[in-house]
Amino acid sequence: MTVTGFKRVPFASTADAMTGTLPPALCQNMPNLSMIKLRGNQLTGPVDQLLNCTALTQLDISSNNFSGPLPSAANIWDWQRLEALDFSHNSFEGTIPDVLTALPVVGYLNAGHNRLTGTLHRSITLMQYLRHLALDHNQLTGHIDENIWFLPQLSVLDLSHNKLSGTISRVAGLSFGIQQIVLHNNSLVGSLPPNLGLLKDLTLLDIRQNPAMKSCGQGTTSSPTCSAEQLLPCFLKFGDALVPQTDGSNMSCPAILRRPRDEAVHACAGNGSAQLGELADFVTYGSTGLLWIFDLDPSYYSYHRCQCLGGYSDDWQNNGTQLVCVNVKPVSVPAWVPGVVGGAAAAGGMLALAAVLLVWLKLKMQLRPRWQREKELKENRKKGMPSGGPATIVVTDVENYSSMMQTNAQLTTKAMGIHNAILRKAVAAHA
């Protein structure tokens, strides 16, 4: 199915059904078309035809195969009503056009997963209604302009998987409405500013895979450059529990928690580079409570209290600054050992089985019912005196029997009854 005929549809929302390119006369017959959703198709080519749709409020052409530059013609100013714009998961190239970032009421802009290059131009800070900005998985370079933190409505910022450099500015603490900051897999340097503790709504901060970001310099296990209290921003602390890492490093590291407000105020008071001075009184507890919402590489805090998982051993590399958990190889044994061990186990098993059989036979003889023993005894007596073979004669002698009968005949008689019962039991068991 091609896009031919789409011009008759006021609203389109299909998935994996449409191919081809956008028609050149798109929206000419529908000047009041306010919404276009073409997510998840197989459309190709440029998208300049969309500039004819001047009444759009929502435009979603994500997850297609569109290519070329993003719309940048002068008549893009006709998109005065556009509130949501999603270009993600295509093959767009080039820079982010200034005219695109100057659209007056856009609140949602997603151009992630493309091939965009260049820097984050300061003009993006003109988008005063912008709430969600996602430019992840591109090839953007340069610093993160500190003016971006002054966007009054910004709640989600995703610049991950680019080539951004520089530090995270302290003015990030002025972006009071922000909830998610995702910056992993870039080339950022420096440490996290303590001013982030001023953000009460922050629920996610991801700075993983920025290897040059360190809490307080490049130390080693033998000569650290900072104390344990300096390894995290003053409003964070290490939890007691160790949490397995999800990056394939095969190690567990302590959970990172937000300090309770009073504790954070005390820790952040002071004029050090990692403290807030007079601003410490404005540190918040965070609306999400004690959650380890700060996703940091263990290298950021010098692998403090990190441990390798079972089956892996510590291997400190790069002069003791990088912990690598290596798989412990099993000890090799000679080829003849398994055979010997198996033979010994088999022999031991046979001996154990023989011992069990002997015990079972003995118990079977001793625990025969009384009637069975008496029956066997009667049958043996009917056979008469043994005609040959060995015979057993048992003779007992009770010492001082006569004197005991004179002293206490009753007790002596009971003792003789026990003596005779023992003899009868022995005879019955071995007859």
Side-chain angles (χ1 to χ4, degrees), residues 165-196:
S165 57
T167 62
I168 301 176
S169 174
R170 276 180 170 252
V171 300
L174 299 178
S175 187
F176 296 113
I178 201 161
Q179 299 176 10
Q180 299 181 19
I181 303 175
V182 185
L183 302 174
H184 70 259
N185 200 350
N186 277 286
S187 300
L188 300 176
V189 298
S191 59
L192 289 173
N195 303 61
L196 294 175

Side-chain angles (χ1 to χ4, degrees), residues 275-344:
Q275 295 175 303
L276 291 171
E278 296 179 354
L279 293 177
D281 291 334
F282 299 96
V283 173
T284 63
Y285 178 72
S287 58
T288 56
L290 291 178
L291 296 176
W292 69 294
I293 57 176
F294 293 85
D295 202 359
L296 283 63
D297 277 321
S299 61
Y300 179 87
Y301 47 85
S302 302
Y303 301 94
H304 178 66
R305 288 176 45 208
C306 290
Q307 298 178 3
C308 291
L309 301 178
Y312 295 86
S313 62
D314 299 353
D315 182 14
W316 286 95
Q317 302 179 1
N318 296 331
N319 296 321
T321 62
Q322 181 182 7
L323 174 61
V324 178
C325 295
V326 296
N327 191 8
V328 179
K329 296 182 179 180
V331 180
S332 59
V333 296
W336 55 267
V337 172
V340 172
V341 173

Side-chain angles (χ1 to χ4, degrees), residues 208-222:
R208 278 185 174 270
Q209 298 181 2
N210 285 280
M213 291 196 71
K214 303 291 180 181
S215 55
C216 54
Q218 187 77 18
T220 65
T221 55
S222 58

Side-chain angles (χ1 to χ4, degrees), residues 245-262:
Q245 301 297 291
T246 59
D247 56 1
S249 59
N250 302 308
M251 68 177 67
S252 294
C253 295
I256 299 176
L257 308 177
R258 195 162 193 163
R259 293 181 186 270
R261 184 183 182 279
D262 292 342

